[in-house]
């Protein structure tokens, strides 16, 4: 549930910083992201949310933080259940935050291409999503894993039964996320996908 998710998130952030101001900022930013996501779900009025709609909404929410960045979306419309929409949207929010702070979204002339494909498999769609940035600061070496990286990997690996490849070529990040989107009308108890919470195993990571 939301309280368990927030409690786990607070515990994880606490392990990554001893600075009270940074701690407060990290908490506020992620609470704001969660609130926006729940507003988005409420606005569907019971209708099925789609991957394109989710990504477009997340792009709109972050456009004000990256007004000089060009963002392109390309891929098929795929339904997203409300159970999976939250961890997926939080993953995208982390990618945007990283880009605004360190990458193409934080500079004039930067661009982000978000492209995805879908392959049908049983009662789910197997999604491959590419996040490619150009025009940002040159990357001399991959950054050290931090809170955002832990969250991205946790949401994708544990909650969306997927994998994460984070690549940092000199001209801009080139990430690939693969994950399963279960059909919204599927009998969830029969599907081995965890409910929305940050995995306890993540609390033991030190980076």
């Amino acid at each position: 549930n939301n309280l368990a998710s927030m409690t786990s998130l607070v515990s994880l952030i606490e392990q990554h910083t001893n600075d009270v101001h940074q701690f407060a900022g990290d908490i506020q930013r992620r609470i704001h992201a969660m609130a926006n996501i729940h507003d988005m779900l409420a606005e569907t009025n019971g209708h099925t949310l789609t991957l394109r709609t989710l990504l477009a909404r997340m792009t709109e929410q972050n456009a004000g933080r990256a007004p000089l960045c060009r963002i392109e979306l390309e891929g098929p419309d795929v339904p997203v259940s409300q159970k999976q929409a939250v961890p997926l949207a939080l993953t995208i929010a982390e990618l945007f935050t990283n880009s605004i702070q360190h990458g193409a979204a934080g500079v004039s002339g930067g661009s982000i291409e978000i492209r995805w494909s879908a392959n049908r498999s049983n009662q789910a769609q197997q999604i491959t999503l590419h996040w490619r940035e150009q025009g940002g600061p040159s990357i001399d070496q991959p950054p050290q894993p931090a809170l955002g990286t832990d969250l991205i990997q946790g949401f994708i690996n544990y909650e969306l039964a997927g994998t994460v490849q984070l690549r940092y070529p000199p001209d801009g990040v080139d990430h690939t996320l693969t994950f399963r989107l279960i059909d919204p009308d599927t009998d969830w108890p029969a599907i081995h996908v965890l409910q929305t919470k940050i995995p306890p195993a993540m609390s033991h990571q030190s980076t």
Side-chain angles (χ1 to χ4, degrees):
N1 58 40
N2 291 333
L3 180 58
S5 299
M6 185 56 60
T7 300
S8 297
L9 179 60
V10 170
S11 296
L12 184 59
I13 293 174
E14 184 180 20
Q15 295 178 36
H16 281 266
T17 179
N18 294 318
D19 184 281
V20 64
H21 297 293
Q22 181 180 343
F23 179 84
D26 287 343
I27 288 291
Q28 289 174 352
R29 183 168 64 252
R30 289 170 174 91
I31 289 177
H32 182 66
M34 291 185 72
N36 284 337
I37 292 162
H38 284 286
D39 286 345
M40 175 176 61
L41 293 174
E43 290 172 6
T44 63
N45 292 320
H47 295 89
T48 300
L49 181 69
T50 67
L51 180 56
R52 173 174 288 279
T53 300
L54 184 150
L55 291 171
R57 180 63 181 271
M58 297 302 297
T59 298
E60 292 171 3
Q61 290 177 359
N62 287 276
R65 302 166 63 200
L68 302 178
C69 180
R70 178 175 56 86
I71 302 172
E72 295 184 4
L73 303 177
E74 181 179 322
D77 237 356
V78 180
V80 182
S81 71
Q82 293 206 3
K83 287 181 180 291
Q84 292 189 291
V86 174
L88 178 55
L90 288 173
T91 298
I92 299 302
E94 292 297 328
L95 289 170
F96 269 117
T97 294
N98 288 346
S99 182
I100 291 166
Q101 293 180 345
H102 310 292
V107 299
S108 176
S111 68
I112 303 174
E113 295 180 355
I114 308 173
R115 305 184 188 280
W116 66 96
S117 60
N119 291 299
R120 185 75 183 167
S121 176
N122 297 325
Q123 293 176 298
Q125 295 279 0
Q126 186 72 23
I127 306 297
T128 300
L129 185 147
H130 298 284
W131 179 286
R132 181 74 171 99
E133 298 185 21
Q134 292 182 301
S138 178
I139 301 174
D140 297 326
Q141 61 183 5
Q144 291 295 316
L147 174 61
T149 302
D150 282 354
L151 289 172
I152 291 168
Q153 292 177 335
F155 289 135
I156 296 297
N157 294 341
Y158 291 90
E159 303 207 37
L160 298 174
T163 61
V164 178
Q165 289 184 303
L166 302 179
R167 294 182 291 267
Y168 299 90
D171 61 340
V173 303
D174 185 7
H175 301 330
T176 301
L177 313 179
T178 62
F179 50 90
R180 296 176 70 225
L181 291 180
I182 308 299
D183 291 348
D185 58 353
T186 296
D187 180 15
W188 273 82
I191 302 298
H192 298 294
V193 177
L194 300 183
Q195 298 223 349
T196 301
K197 66 178 182 178
I198 298 170
M202 293 174 62
S203 64
H204 300 296
Q205 299 181 13
S206 59
T207 57

